[in-house]
Amino acid sequence: MSGLGPVEPGEGTHAWDAPAPHAPVLSGLPGHRVARRYAEHRRAVLIAATVAAVVAGGGYLYATRPQEPAAPPPPYPSQVVAITYLDTRSTARDAPARTFSFDVLVSVASGPPVTVTRIDQPYAGLRLTSAPSAPFRTSAETPRKITITVRVTHCGNVPGSAGLPFLDVTLRNARAMELHSFILGPRYARHLSKALQVACSNDSR
């Protein structure tokens, strides 16, 4: 009985004849040296990948780190400035008629320096000047004593008794510019009323 016998596999068709996947083909080297080179190559690749991952992770953490809160803005000047009445000065003999002077203390409780740009008062018949003259600067460490001189320009436009007099002061700091009215208290009101009566005592009003 004739027929074909089992087909013999050709060269290279066995699974063990194929080279191992991903293994670098290093011709001319013994097997153990090939394995060692492959292991060293694999370690180098893993180290490089680990370093890249650490660098990338560090950059992400830096980019997403919590931000420092912004510094609060400085206070408004009217919130930190105080003007305190000290006393009325004796009128000098050579002083112009119908003038009188008094001292106040300008102080800053905290924050950046404050500039006094203008000092005024509500009565139409009075004019004010100050020494030092505005504008002048005051800081939290150095309160300033200011002498204010009042000149009566028209007795008919000033009150016979100043019940609640105040000063209109324009203030400026790094935050804002404000016009603020400072009431100097009952002692200042008494002294101002007396000074106005003396200044206008011989006036027909």
Side-chain angles (χ1 to χ4, degrees), residues 8 24 32 48 50 53 62 67 75 87 95-96 100-101 123 130 149 154 157 162 166 181 189 192 202 204:
E8 294 293 334
H32 66 279
T50 302
Y62 179 81
Q67 299 296 318
D87 208 347
F100 59 93
S101 299
Y123 302 123
S130 68
T149 299
H154 195 286
N157 291 332
F166 56 87
S181 296
L192 178 61
N202 296 325
S204 61

Side-chain angles (χ1 to χ4, degrees), residues 1 25 67 80 82 85 97 162 178:
M1 179 174 168
V25 179
Q67 299 296 318
V80 293
Y85 174 68
E178 294 181 297

Side-chain angles (χ1 to χ4, degrees), residues 101-137:
S101 299
F102 59 93
D103 294 331
V104 296
L105 188 69
V106 181
S107 57
V108 179
S110 61
V114 175
T115 299
V116 176
T117 63
R118 188 168 180 266
I119 302 176
D120 205 351
Q121 50 74 48
Y123 302 123
L126 303 180
R127 293 291 180 269
L128 298 188
T129 58
S130 68
S133 59
F136 56 85
R137 203 179 198 195

